[in-house]
Amino acid sequence: MAAITAGMVKELRDKTGAGMMDCKTALSAVDGDIEAAIDWLRTKGLAKAAKKAGRVAAEGLVAVAIAGHSGVVVELNSETDFVARNLEFQALAHGIANVALERGGDVDAVLAHHYPGGGTVSEAVANAIATIGENMTLRRVASLKVSTGLIGSYVHGAVADGLGKIGVIVALESTGNADELAVLGRQLAMHVAATNPVALDLASVDPEVLAREKAILAEKNAGKPANVLEKITESGLKSYAKEYCLLEQAYIHDGSKSVGQVLKEIEGKVGAPVKLTGFARFALGEGIEKEEQDFAAEVAAAGGTTG
């Protein structure tokens, strides 16, 4: 077998635009033959996919899947919202979510895992890119598990079962009545979809975020005695928790109670203690800087005219 050198990998990458590891795999598969490696990549859809890899993929679908005591939410992005209506794309999102149930919340592990029907998830995405003709990206995956109880879920803007624009899963630990827990789990997931909390409670907030909040409070109240500033900071963080921490937020289904209070009150109905141990919320495209497109200019350019 021919030795695969860095120069060979670079040459293949320059010719196809495929990823470095894909190029190395291709060369290994064809004993270092560059032209055969190009064909190998094209067969896998990787060379064609690479040409589209620079396009911003901020549309697509969020998928939620639940099995037993496990739940996942994944975001599969595409370039346009039209693709979200494509049945092949929807099937891919469903399939990846089911794989994630086995592999957990690590994107790389999911991409490298076997995809039903053959190949890996990464290859399934590349094949879909080649078939549908748009750049696609498995952007993120989150998973939750419980030892007892269940995973509640909610999908907002659903286009199909378990697929939509916002996906939420919540973990409820309890030995109580499963039917009552299921109702509570869906209601809590709807709450998370609506309020977008940053953490379960103040202790779970990123220390850097808390430090920034404290710094803002200190700057606003500069010059005040240390003991006064301490009380102001404490009060300010309580206000922050009520707005951004799930257990302290006013429950959207009953604004007179916090989520924590609702959980405590429901225990009598459920017949056992109930603990909310985690949540995950994905909103499609959040945090992605989308390209501003001037479609009039694009049409003019395509027709060889200027405005």
Side-chain angles (χ1 to χ4, degrees):
M1 178 177 288
I4 308 303
T5 66
M8 293 165 66
V9 173
K10 182 180 185 302
E11 180 182 353
L12 182 59
R13 189 177 186 183
D14 289 343
K15 287 185 175 183
T16 64
M20 182 174 67
M21 291 307 297
D22 289 327
C23 288
K24 187 174 181 181
T25 300
L27 287 164
S28 297
V30 297
D31 200 24
D33 186 320
I34 294 290
E35 293 304 317
I38 292 173
D39 292 341
W40 188 94
L41 287 168
R42 290 182 63 192
T43 300
K44 297 293 184 181
L46 296 173
K48 187 173 181 180
K51 295 176 183 178
K52 300 177 176 64
R55 300 179 187 172
V56 176
E59 299 294 341
L61 289 169
V62 173
V64 169
I66 309 290
H69 288 160
S70 300
V72 297
V73 55
V74 307
E75 181 180 357
L76 181 64
N77 294 126
S78 60
E79 293 176 55
T80 69
D81 60 356
F82 298 108
V83 170
R85 305 168 202 167
N86 182 292
L87 294 180
E88 182 179 343
F89 184 80
Q90 292 179 9
L92 179 64
H94 266 307
I96 292 174
N98 288 329
V99 170
L101 281 170
E102 298 180 40
R103 299 302 300 168
D106 183 83
V107 170
D108 290 337
V110 171
L111 286 170
H113 195 64
H114 173 75
Y115 187 79
T120 64
V121 170
S122 181
E123 289 171 336
V125 173
N127 290 336
I129 292 172
T131 302
I132 297 174
E134 282 196 11
N135 186 27
M136 298 175 195
T137 305
L138 177 60
R139 184 184 177 207
R140 49 185 175 162
V141 180
S143 64
L144 293 174
K145 288 186 177 183
V146 292
S147 55
T148 60
L150 52 78
I151 303 295
S153 67
Y154 172 69
V155 174
H156 186 71
V159 297
D161 186 36
L163 301 174
K165 299 294 185 181
I166 298 176
V168 178
I169 52 175
V170 297
L172 291 173
E173 291 277 3
S174 179
T175 58
N177 182 277
D179 291 337
E180 294 290 348
L181 284 175
V183 173
L184 174 64
R186 178 173 172 77
Q187 290 178 339
L188 286 171
M190 291 175 69
H191 172 99
V192 172
T195 63
N196 193 18
V198 300
L200 272 178
D201 51 29
L202 203 57
S204 305
V205 177
D206 186 330
E208 290 186 6
V209 174
L210 282 183
R212 187 164 64 246
E213 290 300 315
K214 290 178 181 178
I216 291 171
L217 290 168
E219 186 175 343
K220 283 183 177 179
N221 297 279
K224 292 184 178 179
N227 63 324
V228 174
L229 182 58
E230 183 179 350
K231 290 180 179 179
I232 290 174
T233 300
E234 183 180 349
S235 176
L237 290 180
K238 284 182 179 178
S239 297
Y240 176 88
K242 288 180 180 179
E243 186 171 357
Y244 296 107
C245 297
L246 178 52
L247 293 173
E248 300 298 326
Q249 288 180 325
Y251 194 41
I252 63 166
H253 303 289
D254 184 350
S256 68
K257 302 171 184 176
S258 70
V259 170
Q261 289 173 328
V262 169
L263 287 169
K264 195 64 181 175
E265 290 181 5
I266 202 73
E267 290 181 353
K269 195 172 184 180
V270 170
V274 180
K275 186 176 183 182
L276 176 57
T277 59
F279 70 91
R281 177 189 186 275
F282 287 174
L284 183 65
E286 61 188 347
I288 298 177
E289 186 174 341
K290 300 181 183 181
E291 292 178 329
E292 293 297 328
Q293 297 180 324
D294 185 341
F295 290 106
E298 287 185 13
V299 171
T305 62
T306 56

